[in-house]
Amino acid sequence: MDQHIRLFGAIAVRPAVLAVLPRFETATGLKVAVRWELNPAVRRQIEAGEPFDLVITNPNHVADLTALGKVRAGSQVAFGRIAMGVAARAGSRPLDIGSVTAFKQALAGARSIAYAFDGTSGGYFSGLLERLGMEDEVKPKLVPTEGGQTVAAVGRGQSELGVVPITSILAAAPEIMLVGRFPAELQSYIDFAIGIGADAGDAEAAGRLSAFLASAAIDEALAAKGFERG
């Protein structure tokens, strides 16, 4: 019977992780079964009893799940981070978002902006609009989307722009293009960590996957998908 490691991860890391998992499976002979949700949903479902062997989510969620006895104490390791970016349909008019002023003008001029209302990125964007004093101006243009659907909303033409981690934008090419990253002054990296399940079916196998995902050997492959080591 094949050994399957149950990996439960955040949607934002999906493109990067899926790019490297075949290398792990080939090298070890182990199989990985994956499931993806928005960061807050990953935590909620694990708290509710969702079985898993390895989790990838925000570091604070891993720490809290450890405190709850869901993640093995001492197993948390840093995974990396993803920058926030703006998506548009391929072939759209060029848009400058390289400075704070240009970014604000782009938001003000957009007909509609999709964002993951229940995700980490959506929470940051909502807070950013308040910081910029643009909440009242932009709120009527916002198109709330469910987990993993922000880029799809742009692709379907339901929204002119999408605010989302750049991994999701790059994964949707060539239909979707990366307009650009948030300007440095406004950039918020979404951090991720790995934790081993306290009730992992095979803790050793889960530990091998954790070590692989944290290893420098896959840095280049992750970077190609828009994922950075912290």
Side-chain angles (χ1 to χ4, degrees):
M1 183 176 177
D2 288 340
Q3 169 72 53
H4 280 79
I5 302 169
R6 298 165 298 180
L7 172 61
F8 194 9
I11 286 173
V13 304
R14 176 173 56 188
V17 172
L18 289 181
V20 298
L21 280 184
R23 192 186 307 184
F24 172 81
E25 292 181 328
T26 299
T28 64
L30 297 167
K31 300 296 182 183
V32 183
V34 296
R35 181 175 179 189
W36 312 101
E37 295 283 358
L38 289 175
N39 279 297
V42 171
R43 172 177 170 161
R44 286 197 302 269
Q45 291 180 27
I46 288 177
E47 285 180 348
E50 178 68 28
F52 72 102
D53 298 314
L54 200 72
V55 63
I56 305 174
T57 187
N58 300 143
N60 61 304
H61 292 328
V62 178
D64 290 344
L65 290 169
T66 302
L68 290 170
K70 299 292 188 177
V71 168
R72 181 167 298 204
S75 71
Q76 179 169 341
V77 294
F79 184 39
R81 65 185 191 177
I82 304 174
M84 291 284 291
V86 176
R89 294 181 80 173
S92 300
R93 61 188 175 88
L95 201 59
D96 174 23
I97 61 169
S99 67
V100 174
T101 298
F103 183 80
K104 292 176 68 174
Q105 289 174 344
L107 295 183
R111 295 186 302 276
S112 51
I113 305 167
Y115 78 114
F117 73 95
D118 195 29
T120 305
S121 64
Y124 172 72
F125 183 58
S126 296
L128 179 61
L129 292 178
E130 289 185 41
R131 260 177 64 196
L132 296 174
M134 299 185 71
E135 188 178 21
D136 292 340
E137 180 180 9
V138 175
K139 189 174 182 180
K141 307 177 183 185
L142 295 180
V143 179
T145 64
E146 296 183 349
Q149 294 302 306
T150 304
V151 170
V154 176
R156 290 191 296 264
Q158 293 175 310
S159 180
E160 180 184 2
L161 300 178
V163 172
V164 66
I166 66 169
T167 45
S168 298
I169 302 173
L170 296 177
E175 291 81 10
I176 298 295
M177 69 176 190
L178 174 63
V179 174
R181 297 170 176 239
F182 280 26
E185 300 93 327
L186 304 178
Q187 184 60 262
S188 174
Y189 289 96
I190 302 174
D191 294 311
F192 294 91
I194 303 167
I196 298 173
D199 297 322
D202 186 337
E204 181 185 358
R208 290 176 71 182
L209 178 55
S210 177
F212 169 79
L213 292 172
S215 71
I218 61 170
D219 285 1
E220 188 174 334
L222 295 179
K225 298 296 182 179
F227 191 86
E228 306 175 20
R229 296 300 196 181

